[in-house]
Amino acid sequence: MSDRLAILTDGLLHESAAKTGHGVMRYGTRDVGCVVDAVHAGRRAVDVAPFCDHPAPVVADVPAARELGADVLLVGVAPMGGRLTPQWRAMLLEAIGLGMHIEAGLHTTLADDPELAEAARAQGVQLRDLRAAPADLDVPLGREVPIPARVVHSVGSDCAIGKMTVTLELDRAARRRDLASVFIATGQTGVAITGWGMAVDHVVSDYVAGAADRLVREGAQRGDLLWLEGQGSLFHQAYSGVTLGLLHGSSADALVVCHRAGATTVGDNARTPLPALAEIARAYEQATAWVRPAPVAAIALNTAVLDEEQAREACRQAEAETGVVADDVVRFGADRVLDAVLAAVR
Amino acid sequence: MSDRLAILTDGLLHESAAKTGHGVMRYGTRDVGCVVDAVHAGRRAVDVAPFCDHPAPVVADVPAARELGADVLLVGVAPMGGRLTPQWRAMLLEAIGLGMHIEAGLHTTLADDPELAEAARAQGVQLRDLRAAPADLDVPLGREVPIPARVVHSVGSDCAIGKMTVTLELDRAARRRDLASVFIATGQTGVAITGWGMAVDHVVSDYVAGAADRLVREGAQRGDLLWLEGQGSLFHQAYSGVTLGLLHGSSADALVVCHRAGATTVGDNARTPLPALAEIARAYEQATAWVRPAPVAAIALNTAVLDEEQAREACRQAEAETGVVADDVVRFGADRVLDAVLAAVR
């Protein structure tokens, strides 16, 4: 796609909820013209979004984005539940009216929405649903039908803590070493970045494991070291089913556990405490072994809220607690975690 | 629905794969006129299907069912993957041509199939999709929004071992004691039997937990002792995600673990061994506790393949191994398991 994107973050550019936007700016190769966010208008993405080095200007509204030459409006926020809100609907209609294509990974299928579909038809623009799933999904084949690749699956203690980022960084580091490494997107942001993959949280629940199995087999045609992005968390009431389906469907050879340093609850909810990191890692190994065992090869810590000395200490502590390598792959580089993974899947 | 059903089992009436048909005959209050099954034609359901006391005649084909006055053809088999096969398609088209309504819980949505939809329209008959999900599902509210009922969730070591049957028997035994007991269907067979509920394996995967939460809240308007049917198994590669989503979404107060006595593998697959029963029970307690703890209150053993003395011994062994009551609720009655559950949720 050679489009010029405007990324809609609607007041959330500084929040992890805007992870689709952040991911496309940090890891994508697509042309990002600007961000649409009234709260942060007048600044640049690099000055607002965490760990973002993109200089795209932030504008207040859709017409301003259009004036800067954007011809695609990408919904850059992944809201809880994934529904289209009335406010966003108005902005999408405004963009369509200005001749822009729409791209989104919501559960609300844009093409099935009569109002949006009619407006898009009238303007001759496209509605691109990043979460659209293939119609011929099925249950997994499993390892009885061999997968000619090593599969590394990143899992996590919570949502929106950087599983996709960790996975992309590990793939990037592996490719720098000339390994036949492939990032496999399992969420709408990853699909927006790479142009393939599947948003597994949008498939019929019976087919989540089958979707993971298919993605891994597709990945094996592109390389032999596969990094399958994780979704949700075994500890998150709303999304644990997707997490386990992906885990079992992936037939992973090794796991990387992603964790926000110091986190003691799921989300900010004091009623849902997280166990200690070593127990989290053990839970993933146990759950994996219900179908096919795989070791936790390393911990990827998100230390964004700590200063550098605290961050290094958090990594040391995590290593002492779990007995495997722990590092912040965004802050300190992915090589140590990559080495640990390669040793585990050798 | 005051229809007269013909249940299509297509050679599988004696197999657990025909569980939709078995369930409707054993627990439903609907009028079953006959079974369509060329392999078993000429006999009666009671003589072929396991634990079935229904006298319905088995006929060889759809026209014979129509002649016996059936006006609905219900697909009574739940195949792996849930797709409509070419052979079934031909039989459904034949039934539609004879003026029969069609009822099925496949993943293939009948109403979305152009050939079936056109035929049904031409004949003025209905296509009833038991797996159709509500359009407004969302993530679960969770126990922070109180549920004024006790929730008992039946889980299992494998698919097709009788979780629904156990759940229906426990509900029936509780109602005999004049408790305000409610069976909550989570699969197409349960929906076919009770006329409400939801086939959670057909909802978008992100909403499985939300679907369970909604079902429990709907159940709480009908009674205060809720029996939520389980799906799949934590140990089954294809379906474990649905199992965990349902488990976490249900906010269960107690679990009943269903198990086929003596089973050591998932399905008949020697490559996927099952752990010992006590470990299975522990795995369910651990997985539940990732979000909210609940005890395994009892074991429901399926002893169908054992003789009576072996069956009683298997129950004693299961009790010794797990430390909770174990019984075959179909064979020996549901009261002991019910007592154990009531003690756990008091």
Side-chain angles (χ1 to χ4, degrees):
Chain A
M1 298 184 247
S2 63
D3 327 293
R4 165 159 279 211
L5 301 182
I7 298 177
L8 176 63
T9 59
D10 195 29
L12 298 171
L13 179 57
H14 61 299
E15 298 269 13
S16 64
K19 62 184 183 180
T20 301
H22 298 165
V24 169
M25 285 191 282
R26 183 172 169 91
Y27 297 102
T29 54
R30 303 174 66 184
D31 177 15
V32 177
C34 63
V35 173
V36 180
D37 193 313
V39 172
H40 300 290
R43 304 174 70 190
R44 296 176 307 160
V46 59
D47 302 321
V48 180
F51 290 99
C52 177
D53 53 5
H54 205 288
V58 184
V59 300
D61 53 28
V62 170
R66 191 72 178 113
E67 266 173 45
L68 288 180
D71 55 0
V72 177
L73 185 68
L74 167 70
V75 177
V77 179
M80 185 108 172
R83 300 278 179 209
L84 184 64
T85 65
Q87 188 179 343
W88 290 356
R89 172 184 296 278
M91 287 194 271
L92 299 196
L93 287 168
E94 190 178 20
I96 292 169
L98 294 170
M100 298 172 78
H101 305 297
I102 306 293
E103 206 168 305
L106 303 167
H107 283 314
T108 308
T109 303
L110 302 177
D112 289 349
D113 184 286
E115 190 179 12
L116 294 173
E118 171 54 29
R121 200 200 49 73
Q123 288 286 331
V125 299
Q126 300 163 13
L127 301 177
R128 301 175 189 160
D129 282 291
L130 298 174
R131 253 171 169 158
D136 59 343
L137 283 173
D138 212 322
V139 294
L141 298 173
R143 278 277 174 170
E144 288 171 52
V145 182
I147 298 164
R150 296 160 290 173
V151 179
V152 186
H153 184 37
S154 46
V155 295
S157 55
D158 203 349
C159 302
I161 58 167
K163 287 184 292 293
M164 184 194 73
T165 302
V166 164
T167 318
L168 285 161
E169 293 285 354
L170 286 166
D171 168 54
R172 190 149 78 172
R175 281 188 285 110
R176 276 203 210 102
R177 296 189 193 180
D178 289 329
L179 298 173
S181 172
V182 178
F183 167 84
I184 303 179
T186 61
Q188 72 270 31
T189 303
V191 175
I193 293 171
T194 63
W196 73 287
M198 207 190 305
V200 295
D201 59 358
H202 190 64
V203 310
V204 163
S205 62
D206 230 9
Y207 296 145
V208 170
D213 183 86
R214 176 195 285 217
L215 285 172
V216 165
R217 289 173 199 282
E218 287 180 14
Q221 294 173 359
R222 298 168 182 246
D224 63 10
L225 177 62
L226 312 181
W227 303 93
L228 184 72
E229 181 194 1
Q231 292 293 333
S233 160
L234 291 180
F235 301 91
H236 195 297
Q237 186 192 19
Y239 306 124
S240 57
V242 174
T243 306
L244 189 63
L246 201 47
L247 184 64
H248 282 166
S250 72
S251 300
D253 296 298
L255 307 178
V256 174
V257 172
C258 304
H259 181 61
R260 184 158 37 204
T264 56
T265 59
V266 175
D268 302 320
N269 189 337
R271 294 216 206 186
T272 50
L274 269 177
L277 180 55
E279 239 183 279
I280 292 169
R282 199 152 43 231
Y284 273 103
E285 285 190 347
Q286 285 174 337
T288 309
W290 293 336
V291 166
R292 180 175 181 272
V296 169
I299 308 290
L301 269 195
N302 175 340
T303 65
V305 298
L306 305 179
D307 70 27
E308 181 160 340
E309 187 38 48
Q310 290 171 324
R312 294 202 186 274
E313 177 55 27
C315 294
R316 277 191 294 270
Q317 263 186 27
E319 293 192 348
E321 199 184 325
T322 61
V324 297
V325 165
D327 213 334
D328 186 327
V329 302
V330 174
R331 191 167 197 168
F332 301 130
D335 281 311
R336 288 184 67 237
V337 170
L338 177 57
D339 287 339
V341 168
L342 292 175
V345 299
R346 182 173 300 144
Chain B
M1 298 182 246
S2 62
D3 328 291
R4 165 158 279 212
L5 301 183
I7 298 178
L8 175 64
T9 59
D10 194 30
L12 299 171
L13 179 57
H14 61 299
E15 296 268 13
S16 64
K19 61 185 186 179
T20 301
H22 298 165
V24 168
M25 286 191 282
R26 182 172 170 92
Y27 297 102
T29 55
R30 304 173 67 183
D31 177 14
V32 177
C34 63
V35 173
V36 179
D37 192 314
V39 172
H40 301 289
R43 305 175 70 192
R44 296 176 307 159
V46 60
D47 302 319
V48 180
F51 291 100
C52 176
D53 53 5
H54 205 290
V58 184
V59 300
D61 54 27
V62 170
R66 190 73 179 113
E67 266 174 45
L68 289 180
D71 56 0
V72 177
L73 184 68
L74 168 69
V75 176
V77 179
M80 184 108 173
R83 301 278 177 209
L84 184 63
T85 65
Q87 187 179 344
W88 290 357
R89 171 185 296 278
M91 288 194 270
L92 299 197
L93 286 168
E94 188 178 21
I96 293 169
L98 295 170
M100 298 172 77
H101 306 296
I102 307 293
E103 206 168 303
L106 302 167
H107 283 313
T108 307
T109 302
L110 302 177
D112 290 349
D113 183 287
E115 191 180 11
L116 294 173
E118 171 54 27
R121 199 200 50 72
Q123 288 287 333
V125 300
Q126 299 164 13
L127 300 177
R128 302 175 187 159
D129 282 292
L130 298 174
R131 253 171 169 158
D136 60 341
L137 284 172
D138 211 324
V139 293
L141 298 171
R143 279 278 176 170
E144 289 171 54
V145 182
I147 298 165
R150 296 160 291 173
V151 179
V152 186
H153 183 38
S154 45
V155 294
S157 54
D158 203 347
C159 303
I161 57 167
K163 288 185 293 291
M164 185 195 72
T165 302
V166 164
T167 318
L168 285 160
E169 292 286 354
L170 287 166
D171 168 55
R172 190 149 79 171
R175 282 187 286 110
R176 277 203 209 101
R177 296 188 192 181
D178 289 330
L179 299 173
S181 172
V182 179
F183 167 84
I184 303 179
T186 61
Q188 72 270 29
T189 303
V191 174
I193 294 171
T194 63
W196 73 287
M198 206 189 307
V200 295
D201 58 359
H202 190 65
V203 310
V204 163
S205 63
D206 230 10
Y207 296 144
V208 170
D213 183 88
R214 177 196 284 215
L215 284 172
V216 165
R217 289 173 200 282
E218 286 179 15
Q221 293 173 0
R222 298 166 182 246
D224 63 9
L225 177 61
L226 312 181
W227 303 93
L228 184 71
E229 181 194 1
Q231 292 294 333
S233 161
L234 290 180
F235 301 90
H236 196 299
Q237 187 192 20
Y239 306 125
S240 57
V242 174
T243 306
L244 188 63
L246 201 46
L247 184 65
H248 282 167
S250 72
S251 299
D253 295 299
L255 307 178
V256 174
V257 172
C258 304
H259 182 61
R260 183 158 36 204
T264 56
T265 60
V266 175
D268 302 320
N269 189 339
R271 293 216 207 189
T272 51
L274 269 178
L277 180 55
E279 237 183 281
I280 292 170
R282 201 155 39 232
Y284 272 103
E285 286 190 346
Q286 285 173 337
T288 309
W290 293 336
V291 166
R292 180 173 180 274
V296 169
I299 308 291
L301 270 197
N302 176 339
T303 66
V305 297
L306 305 180
D307 70 26
E308 180 159 340
E309 187 39 48
Q310 289 171 327
R312 294 203 186 274
E313 177 55 27
C315 293
R316 277 192 294 270
Q317 262 186 27
E319 293 192 348
E321 198 185 325
T322 62
V324 297
V325 165
D327 215 334
D328 187 328
V329 302
V330 174
R331 190 167 197 167
F332 301 129
D335 281 312
R336 288 183 66 236
V337 170
L338 177 57
D339 288 339
V341 168
L342 291 175
V345 300
R346 183 174 295 144

